[in-house]
Structure formats: structure tokens, C-alpha cells
Amino acid sequence: PFIGLMPRGLRHTPAGGGGFYLDKKAFSSVDPNMRAYLPRDPASGMPLLFGHVELVAPSLSRAARAAGSKSPDLAADFELRLCCSSKQRITGCIGDPLPIQVVHPSRPPPVASVQVRCEGQYATIRWSVLDLGPHAATAPVE
């Protein structure tokens, strides 16, 4: 099992052998940078009931530059999902997705770490700002 950031609106369709679709396009795998496998017990190999994983938010401004956009959209909607996989392909999702909106400010604040605690349909996010010294430029953190 893994936790992954996926485009909002992903649906499972049982017809034709079943599969996941985004609009009418088949969706079978998640970018390796946007997923994290659940930690496993080293002795048994089974997934741990508690632990932590780390996901890196996608760079929307870099993606917009690669696509040739002059005015990048600095916000995108995703869903955080717990999924099952076999050979890097999604075979099922567990529970309801948690809606996530990734927002890039024009100048991102220097963040040292981010933690997310999920409780049912709610998530609590905590972060710590990286101290760059007394002469560093400031950036707002919302």
C-alpha cells in the first residue's frame, strides 16, 4: 500500500475489467515523486499500523514553465489517497480521498519541515520555518 497525491476527480469504473479514470482517460500509476509507500515491519514485512511518510508537493511553477505557460497557475487541486498497488499499478483505493490544494506563493517561504496528521476526514498540518539568519528576505506563511 502507498499514499499518493492524485489529480482531483479520479473515479473507479468496474466496466471492461475495471480501472481508474480521470475524465475519460485511463489512470493506472502515480508519479514516483508524488507517492510514498507505507513503512513495513522489518521482521514480518507487513505494513506498520503507525508511522510517517514524506511527500514532496509538486512544483506548479516548474510544470507551467515546462509546458510553455507565461502566467503559471500557482494553485492545483489534488486528492490524498491510500492505495493498493501491484507492480507499480493502482489496483484499488481504500477509504475516501482527502482533498488537498497545493498553492505556491510567488516567493515560497523557506520551510524546514512539514507534518500532516490525518484524523478521519480532517488533516492537521504543522510546519517549521527555516531560519536563514537576521539578514534574510522575509516571506509570508499562511
Side-chain angles (χ1 to χ4, degrees):
F2 69 91
I3 293 176
L5 276 179
M6 300 179 193
R8 189 170 290 177
L10 192 65
R11 301 278 183 251
H12 183 266
T13 302
F20 289 89
Y21 291 87
L22 184 60
D23 295 323
K24 294 184 179 185
K25 185 178 177 187
F27 190 93
S28 61
S29 63
V30 178
D31 185 313
N33 297 320
M34 294 175 60
R35 71 173 175 238
Y37 289 93
L38 296 182
R40 294 184 174 270
D41 181 334
S44 68
M46 297 297 292
L48 294 172
L49 298 178
F50 299 96
H52 69 276
V53 296
E54 183 175 302
L55 290 172
V56 177
S59 173
L60 302 176
S61 57
R62 187 175 351 157
R65 282 194 308 266
S69 174
K70 294 205 186 277
S71 59
D73 186 11
L74 297 178
D77 293 324
F78 292 92
E79 293 174 342
L80 188 65
R81 290 180 175 252
L82 176 61
C83 298
C84 299
S85 65
S86 174
K87 299 180 183 174
Q88 308 294 330
R89 298 179 67 82
I90 302 170
T91 57
C93 288
I94 303 164
D96 293 327
L98 179 67
I100 301 282
Q101 185 178 48
V102 174
V103 178
H104 284 270
S106 58
R107 180 178 182 165
V111 176
S113 67
V114 177
Q115 297 177 339
V116 179
R117 182 178 68 206
C118 297
E119 296 180 45
Q121 294 183 345
Y122 300 96
T124 303
I125 300 175
R126 295 186 321 170
W127 64 86
S128 62
V129 177
L130 184 63
D131 182 13
L132 297 177
H135 302 293
T138 60
V141 177
E142 295 179 17

